């Protein structure tokens, strides 16, 4: 960058300014990386200084005809630049344009230009003053950001399409498998009735009945597994589950889940406090077990070994309230609403922690299908409290 040298002045004892006004202006332009040129419509030439930090005078000085200037601009942007010149020149209004231009050294730069009309006494536009800035770095950063965003959006779309296709496939396979299973079960029940009526040696009849009972049990187990698979696919797609409500003690359900989870997280301390005489709820026990399991596993998974998970169950007016409090990593305030979205994982969730971001979306869907609501309060580093409220006179919707 050339620094203007002070112009020596003859001084007769007076203190003279160190720089001329023009030199001062040039310094300011250099410091701000700003170019300043004029366009003279009569001669159709541009001249002045370019927006560049290069020292090469060829790059710093602008002196060229309008056609040469336009020829250096990216072809699809030429009309935009000509329109801005036209606005300033013929309509007398300030104009703004951004363009990619080839510098004399062959480098491509992005330039932002503000064009101002300068009038003569008779109000006709005499020339245009252009103030320019080289914004190549900013433009490149923006382009890189756009490409990243684009790639991320495409990856997400592809993943969602794949997940949807897989879930549709699972759903229809489960449906297809159920039909033969129902018929096997029906046959086994029919045979059981027949064998009971037959006069057979006692131990032979017992063996046959035992075998048929095993087949029925096996089918029930398979049906339960298929049901789980179907639920997982439906929850991932956000489709409602077909609930099978039955009078259920939520306290017993919670204690059952805690008993299953303790061996998985032996270093955690699980405390259950359930109020006495709680009424049964009309809920789908299998699906509600899934809700409680998910919340308890999260509480343990996102908190350190040795910490406490407190589970409270109480009645609050017409609602049953289940609260699960942990002393774990917590959830950033800005993300609290998002953790219930499908596939969303909070930014502080350790990569090493297994998870898909689908659990809480399923929890919310199941609770809502029961006419209830789930909420969370959390502080990073201090822990989280998830609260499920279920109406006691629960009316369930499919
Ligand atoms: P994941 O399979 O990732 O655990 P979830 O849907 O169950 O999916 O939870 C979504 C996200 O919410 C998690 O990835 C985690 O970031 C956050 N989260 C859920 N429960 C807790 C908790 N008890 N403590 C801290 N973060 C939690």
């Amino acid at each position: 960058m050339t620094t203007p040298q002070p112009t020596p002045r003859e001084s007769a004892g007076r203190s003279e300014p160190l720089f001329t006004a023009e030199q001062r202006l040039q310094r300011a332009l250099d410091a701000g990386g700003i170019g300043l040129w004029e366009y003279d419509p009569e001669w159709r030439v541009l001249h002045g200084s370019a927006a560049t930090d290069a020292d090469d005078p060829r790059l710093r000085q602008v002196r060229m005809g309008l056609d040469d200037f336009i020829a250096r601009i990216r072809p699809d942007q030429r009309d935009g630049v000509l329109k801005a010149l036209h606005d300033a020149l013929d309509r007398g209004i300030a104009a703004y344009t951004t363009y990619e231009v080839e510098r004399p050294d062959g480098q491509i730069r992005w330039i932002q230009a503000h064009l101002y009309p300068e009038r003569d006494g008779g109000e006709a536009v005499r020339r245009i003053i252009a103030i320019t800035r080289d914004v190549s770095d900013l433009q490149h950063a923006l382009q890189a950001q756009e490409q990243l965003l684009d790639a991320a959006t495409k990856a997400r779309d592809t993943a969602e399409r794949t997940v949807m296709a897989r879930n549709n496939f699972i759903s229809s396979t489960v449906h297809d498998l159920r039909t033969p299973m129902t018929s096997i079960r029906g046959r086994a029940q029919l045979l059981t009735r027949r064998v009971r009526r037959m006069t057979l040696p006692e131990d032979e009849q017992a063996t046959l009945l035992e075998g048929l009972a095993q087949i029925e049990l096996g089918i029930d187990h398979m049906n339960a597994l298929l049901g789980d698979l179907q639920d997982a696919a439906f929850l991932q797609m956000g489709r409602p589950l077909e609930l099978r409500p039955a009078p259920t003690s939520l306290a017993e359900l919670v204690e059952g889940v805690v008993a299953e989870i303790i061996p998985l997280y032996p270093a955690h301390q699980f405390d259950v406090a359930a109020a006495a005489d709680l009424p049964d709820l009309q809920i789908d026990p299998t699906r509600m077990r899934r809700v409680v399991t998910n919340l308890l596993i999260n509480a343990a998974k996102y908190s350190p070994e040795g910490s406490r998970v407190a589970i409270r169950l109480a009645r609050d007016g017409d609602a049953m309230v289940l609260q699960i409090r942990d002393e774990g990593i917590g959830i950033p305030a800005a993300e609290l609403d998002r953790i219930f979205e499908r596939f969303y994982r909070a930014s502080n969730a350790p990569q090493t922690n297994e998870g898909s971001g689908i659990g809480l979306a399923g929890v919310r869907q199941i609770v809502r299908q029961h006419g209830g609501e789930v909420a969370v309060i959390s502080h990073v580093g201090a822990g989280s409290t998830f609260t499920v409220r279920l109406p006691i006179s629960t009316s369930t919707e499919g």
Side-chain angles (χ1 to χ4, degrees):
M1 193 175 286
T2 48
T3 310
Q5 294 304 308
T7 310
R9 297 273 170 107
E10 292 297 323
S11 153
R14 271 187 310 127
S15 71
E16 289 291 322
L18 213 49
F19 294 105
T20 64
E22 198 176 331
Q23 284 170 333
R24 259 189 247 149
L25 175 63
Q26 190 57 53
R27 283 209 132 193
L29 295 179
D30 284 350
I34 292 170
L36 175 65
W37 48 256
E38 301 174 12
Y39 172 62
D40 184 332
E42 193 179 337
W43 295 98
R44 288 170 65 84
V45 286
L46 283 70
H47 65 94
S49 59
T52 177
D53 57 4
D55 279 335
D56 183 345
R58 277 187 323 131
L59 304 180
R60 296 179 59 75
Q61 279 154 25
V62 176
R63 181 155 202 96
M64 66 180 93
L66 179 65
D67 294 342
D68 282 350
F69 170 65
I70 293 294
R72 289 178 175 279
I73 290 173
R74 206 173 84 184
D76 63 317
Q77 296 173 333
R78 288 176 189 163
D79 284 350
V81 175
L82 283 170
K83 180 179 178 308
L85 270 173
H86 165 75
D87 281 348
L89 202 57
D90 301 331
R91 299 175 61 205
I93 54 175
Y96 167 80
T97 179
T98 303
Y99 50 88
E100 234 181 355
V101 67
E102 185 183 344
R103 263 187 357 194
D105 62 351
Q107 262 201 44
I108 306 288
R109 309 300 291 178
W110 274 93
I111 304 294
Q112 237 176 31
H114 285 89
L115 307 179
Y116 300 98
E118 200 179 74
R119 300 163 194 282
D120 61 15
E123 284 296 286
V125 176
R126 207 157 45 88
R127 58 184 173 172
I128 291 169
I129 307 292
I131 297 181
T132 59
R133 218 152 62 86
D134 186 326
V135 290
S136 306
D137 292 346
L138 183 70
Q139 201 69 29
H140 293 149
L142 282 175
Q143 277 170 348
Q145 198 181 26
E146 264 170 32
Q147 278 165 3
L148 269 178
L149 213 66
D150 213 37
T153 310
K154 278 194 185 127
R156 197 189 153 113
D157 286 354
T158 312
E160 282 196 356
R161 270 202 306 277
T162 312
V163 169
M164 281 295 179
R166 190 196 62 186
N167 289 330
N168 278 324
F169 174 73
I170 290 177
S171 248
S172 62
T173 310
V174 167
H175 184 262
D176 291 349
L177 284 173
R178 280 229 160 107
T179 315
M181 306 264 274
T182 312
S183 106
I184 296 174
R185 199 173 195 285
R187 286 295 167 107
Q189 284 170 340
L190 191 77
L191 284 175
T192 305
R193 285 198 293 274
R194 283 219 180 150
V195 170
R196 281 213 183 100
R197 286 204 302 267
M198 286 164 117
T199 28
L200 290 169
E202 205 172 304
D203 55 345
E204 196 173 328
Q205 192 176 37
T207 312
L208 283 172
L209 288 173
E210 162 74 19
L212 287 166
Q214 288 297 335
I215 291 177
E216 275 191 55
L217 271 179
I219 296 288
D220 287 348
H221 187 54
M222 291 270 276
N223 266 329
L225 291 177
L226 286 177
D228 285 352
L229 205 59
Q230 176 83 295
D231 276 10
F234 270 39
L235 291 174
Q236 282 195 11
M237 292 190 285
R239 277 171 63 175
L241 308 179
E242 207 179 298
L243 297 185
R244 283 183 291 274
T248 307
S249 156
L250 194 55
E252 279 172 27
L253 186 149
V254 168
E255 269 156 20
V257 174
V258 171
E260 279 171 19
I261 285 182
I262 288 174
L264 303 178
Y265 294 94
H268 282 75
Q269 184 193 331
F270 293 90
D271 293 337
V272 186
D277 300 330
L278 293 173
D280 280 359
L281 295 183
Q282 185 68 10
I283 51 176
D284 181 328
T286 310
R287 272 56 178 264
M288 200 50 72
R289 189 168 293 117
R290 195 165 298 144
V291 166
V292 178
T293 307
N294 250 303
L295 293 176
L296 279 180
I297 287 188
N298 277 352
K301 192 166 74 169
Y302 296 110
S303 63
E305 288 191 349
S307 65
R308 177 166 175 258
V309 177
I311 303 132
R312 309 227 164 291
L313 188 60
R315 184 178 183 151
D316 178 17
D318 287 341
M320 187 77 92
V321 181
L322 170 67
Q323 218 171 54
I324 297 175
R325 198 177 74 228
D326 66 57
E327 301 168 341
I329 59 172
I331 300 154
E335 296 177 67
L336 281 177
D337 286 343
R338 302 206 60 193
I339 56 165
F340 292 100
E341 288 173 17
R342 279 180 290 151
F343 307 117
Y344 191 83
R345 305 200 71 207
S347 52
N348 66 335
Q351 296 298 316
T352 46
N353 254 337
E354 285 207 356
S356 60
I358 191 67
L360 286 182
V363 164
R364 184 165 68 175
Q365 182 180 322
I366 294 173
V367 171
R368 283 188 174 168
Q369 277 196 255
H370 281 85
E373 199 43 86
V374 54
V376 59
I377 296 174
S378 186
H379 298 284
V380 170
S384 312
T385 303
F386 284 82
T387 305
V388 176
R389 289 180 79 85
L390 291 168
I392 286 180
S393 56
T394 205
S395 68
T396 48
E397 24 165 313

